[in-house]
Amino acid sequence: QVQLVESGGGLVQAGGSLRLSCAASGRTFSRYSVGWFRQAPGKDREFVAAISVSGSSTYYLDSVEGRFTISRDNAENTVYLEMNSLKPEDTAVYYCNGAINGVDYWGKGTLVTVSS
């Protein structure tokens, strides 16, 4: 099992930047594929970004491609989501997800609010 805790959310103006962190507990964190998802009030949760176990492959939602960057530091048991050129439509609760052998683990989320 792994426990995930997100942090770094807050209020930022459009065009600004924010860096989210997902801190994990567990000795096998380096074996997990990790992704970020987001959910706005009243809307479905959607995929944002993911990173492979090795960190060599990354995947992004089309609307964040080129603006967001996902990375991981396995030695620190942490995954990051660097968000640049933020837009009001990026406003949502962002969740960290870890997956191994078909089993998913979720954090409780961190709120990102982008104002105009």
Side-chain angles (χ1 to χ4, degrees):
Q1 294 186 335
V2 63
Q3 301 290 323
L4 305 174
V5 180
E6 303 94 336
S7 63
L11 176 64
V12 64
Q13 289 187 331
S17 299
L18 209 58
R19 191 186 197 190
L20 306 183
S21 297
C22 174
S25 63
R27 69 183 190 278
T28 60
F29 175 73
S30 63
R31 299 182 182 180
Y32 286 71
S33 296
V34 178
W36 287 94
F37 292 73
R38 67 187 182 187
Q39 186 170 25
K43 297 184 178 180
D44 293 334
R45 187 172 299 185
E46 66 177 348
F47 166 82
V48 176
I51 189 166
S52 64
V53 172
S54 68
S56 62
S57 298
T58 57
Y59 312 88
Y60 297 95
L61 174 67
D62 286 346
S63 62
V64 308
E65 185 84 50
R67 298 189 298 118
F68 291 9
T69 301
I70 187 171
S71 62
R72 69 190 298 166
D73 185 341
N74 288 336
E76 295 293 330
N77 287 345
T78 303
V79 172
Y80 303 97
L81 183 67
E82 181 73 36
M83 304 184 294
N84 300 310
S85 301
L86 283 163
K87 304 174 181 180
E89 51 263 44
D90 293 319
T91 296
V93 176
Y94 284 70
Y95 298 90
C96 182
N97 168 267
I100 186 170
N101 297 326
V103 179
D104 291 317
Y105 298 90
W106 294 90
K108 294 182 179 180
T110 185
L111 177 63
V112 172
T113 302
V114 184
S115 66
S116 59

